[in-house]
Amino acid sequence: MLPFVRMFDYGNIAPAKPNIKKILANNYNVAVLTNSGDLYVRGDNAYGILGLGHKNTVTTWTFSTSGVEDFWMGATSIVVKKSNNEIWYSGSSTTVGMKGSGVSIWTSAMPIFNTLTLPILDIAVSYQTTSVLLSDQTIWSTGVGSDGQLGDGTTINHVSGRFVKSTVPTAANQLPVKLFASNLMHGYVTNQGWLFYTGRVNAVTSSGSKLYNIYYGAPTSLSNTINIKYYVNNGTSMAMAIGTDPTGKTIIANGGSRIFGAQADGKDGSLKDYRAFEVQTASLMPPGDVVSIANNTSYYNQVIATTDGIYCCGYNQSTQAGMLGIGTSTNALVYTKAIVPDGFDYSKSQMAGSYNRTYITDGNFVYSTGTDVTYGGISSLEFILDSPV
């Protein structure tokens, strides 16, 4: 017999398993992984990134492949981990360190991943670079390294079917446990919540981005203030992270250009008016406890989920009109609550921003907002149902 609480909530039927496991986007594509292991995609499909056997634009949700346990998306490739632990990819071959112009069908990346001799703990994919964390806590990378993304002390590419060992600081009791990658940077956080990064990293100083070619630690003042869990850069100077403060409260850090209100501080400044990456001022934060941040925002905006709602700020005009989902096409200079369908569970929010749309899910369905429908969706100034399942 089912537990009484379950019967009270659902009747004599077990609750349905949530549909959506993961959602990711780059500027012009979006992909959704279901809990059953199916990958659905849509977008401009340049490079054949969607794995559909062609490079034509796809404006409706389309099934791409099954048996997927996890996936990662860069600007030109999608890399998937199958349920049998094999790694496959579609799009640019450079991303996985292999020569060639690329593929538009799912192709095994095992020729290069088989060169690794230890179990893989984590994978990260950026513009055209892949990094892996091995069981001995070393990081190995392959692909484009022209901006230092490989972290091996060079700014050269490695597309000869091999990984190179990245240079990781030997800080006491600071072991890599989670990788991150976006745009032209790769990073990791340690078991102590310290952040390290390499490549072109946004908002490091008040003068903008900074280039590294080995993994370098974020300022100690930041590490002592926030135990970072998730970190992301975008292509337009923004940097964001989510973590906990010394009391265990979930907070965010952010930095980058203040233009269009992108820093939620009420200021529409210039492109060169930067805020160095730091913990967001408490008085500027929206109500509720922070739950998550968007895994990508392609322009000058932020998307944050709290227990009270989805809050957005920044650019919301022209081809990006409606991306904030706040019911208007005007820029938001402070965190502004988005309009979301009734019943959305903010505590389980995942969010992703493409160049012209913002996507959210609570694990049940996908919702999106934006007036540009070049790559699918329905023109809207608020979040509406836009789900592959």
Side-chain angles (χ1 to χ4, degrees):
M1 182 175 177
L2 292 172
F4 176 77
V5 171
R6 177 177 291 182
M7 292 180 64
F8 183 82
D9 290 340
Y10 301 99
N12 197 27
I13 302 173
K17 188 176 182 180
N19 294 319
I20 309 299
K21 182 177 182 180
K22 187 174 184 179
I23 183 169
L24 293 176
N26 62 19
N27 281 0
Y28 304 109
N29 299 275
V30 60
V32 168
L33 176 62
T34 70
N35 275 296
S36 59
D38 293 333
L39 190 71
Y40 289 86
V41 296
R42 79 176 187 213
D44 77 335
N45 198 26
Y47 304 92
I49 186 174
L50 301 181
L52 301 174
H54 60 77
K55 298 181 181 179
N56 303 322
T57 297
V58 179
T59 59
T60 58
W61 289 111
T62 303
F63 170 78
S64 182
T65 188
S66 61
V68 178
E69 181 178 308
D70 203 352
F71 79 102
W72 303 265
M73 178 184 283
T76 63
S77 310
I78 295 179
V79 177
V80 302
K81 177 184 177 183
K82 293 282 193 169
S83 54
N84 62 1
N85 289 323
E86 290 190 356
I87 307 298
W88 292 67
Y89 78 100
S90 190
S92 171
S93 299
T94 302
T95 302
V96 291
M98 297 197 293
K99 295 180 179 180
S101 58
V103 297
S104 59
I105 60 173
W106 293 106
T107 302
S108 176
M110 293 311 293
I112 180 171
F113 277 83
N114 279 336
T115 66
L116 300 170
T117 59
L118 292 173
I120 297 172
L121 300 182
D122 200 12
I123 297 175
V125 176
S126 65
Y127 174 67
Q128 285 187 312
T129 312
T130 298
S131 60
V132 297
L133 174 65
L134 301 185
S135 60
D136 63 352
Q137 267 34 79
T138 60
I139 296 175
W140 295 73
S141 304
T142 192
V144 170
S146 54
D147 286 274
Q149 304 98 304
L150 300 173
D152 66 339
T154 73
T155 52
I156 61 176
N157 302 333
H158 288 280
V159 289
S160 55
R162 65 187 179 94
F163 284 86
V164 295
K165 188 176 183 179
S166 303
T167 301
V168 175
T170 55
N173 300 319
Q174 298 293 336
L175 300 176
V177 294
K178 178 65 179 174
L179 299 181
F180 305 104
S182 53
N183 195 35
L184 299 174
M185 60 74 59
H186 279 245
Y188 68 88
V189 292
T190 72
N191 54 324
Q192 303 293 323
W194 285 25
L195 172 66
F196 293 81
Y197 36 52
T198 189
R200 190 169 295 281
V201 184
N202 291 341
V204 174
T205 69
S206 59
S207 60
S209 64
K210 188 172 182 178
L211 190 69
Y212 302 94
N213 58 25
I214 62 173
Y215 281 94
Y216 190 86
T220 303
S221 58
L222 182 68
S223 299
N224 291 336
T225 305
I226 179 173
N227 186 318
I228 291 178
K229 305 295 184 183
Y230 181 85
Y231 174 79
V232 65
N233 275 210
N234 72 3
T236 50
S237 83
M238 288 284 295
M240 291 188 69
I242 187 170
T244 55
D245 68 11
T247 70
K249 181 181 179 180
T250 301
I251 57 176
I252 70 163
N254 61 291
S257 175
R258 284 188 166 93
I259 194 168
F260 307 127
Q263 299 305 310
D265 57 2
K267 185 174 183 179
D268 184 357
S270 69
L271 287 173
K272 295 183 178 180
D273 182 11
Y274 290 102
R275 177 182 190 267
F277 182 65
E278 60 187 5
V279 173
Q280 178 63 292
T281 304
S283 62
L284 299 177
M285 290 297 296
D289 296 325
V290 179
V291 174
S292 60
I293 59 174
N295 66 61
N296 180 55
T297 54
S298 65
Y299 213 67
Y300 298 100
N301 56 52
Q302 293 182 45
V303 182
I304 297 174
T306 76
T307 50
D308 182 74
I310 305 294
Y311 286 85
C312 310
C313 68
Y315 194 66
N316 192 38
Q317 297 181 332
S318 186
T319 54
Q320 285 82 44
M323 279 193 64
L324 302 186
I326 58 177
T328 72
S329 57
T330 57
N331 298 335
L333 304 187
V334 297
Y335 292 119
T336 303
K337 193 171 186 177
I339 303 171
V340 177
D342 292 340
F344 186 88
D345 188 347
Y346 301 118
S347 69
K348 298 177 181 177
S349 298
Q350 290 187 56
M351 301 164 294
S354 68
Y355 180 75
N356 56 357
R357 299 192 73 79
T358 303
Y359 300 87
I360 62 174
T361 182
D362 59 0
N364 292 306
F365 303 101
V366 175
Y367 305 86
S368 75
T369 184
T371 58
D372 189 327
V373 297
T374 303
Y375 304 112
I378 301 171
S379 180
S380 177
L381 296 175
E382 60 188 65
F383 284 99
I384 60 175
L385 185 66
D386 182 12
S387 195
V389 291

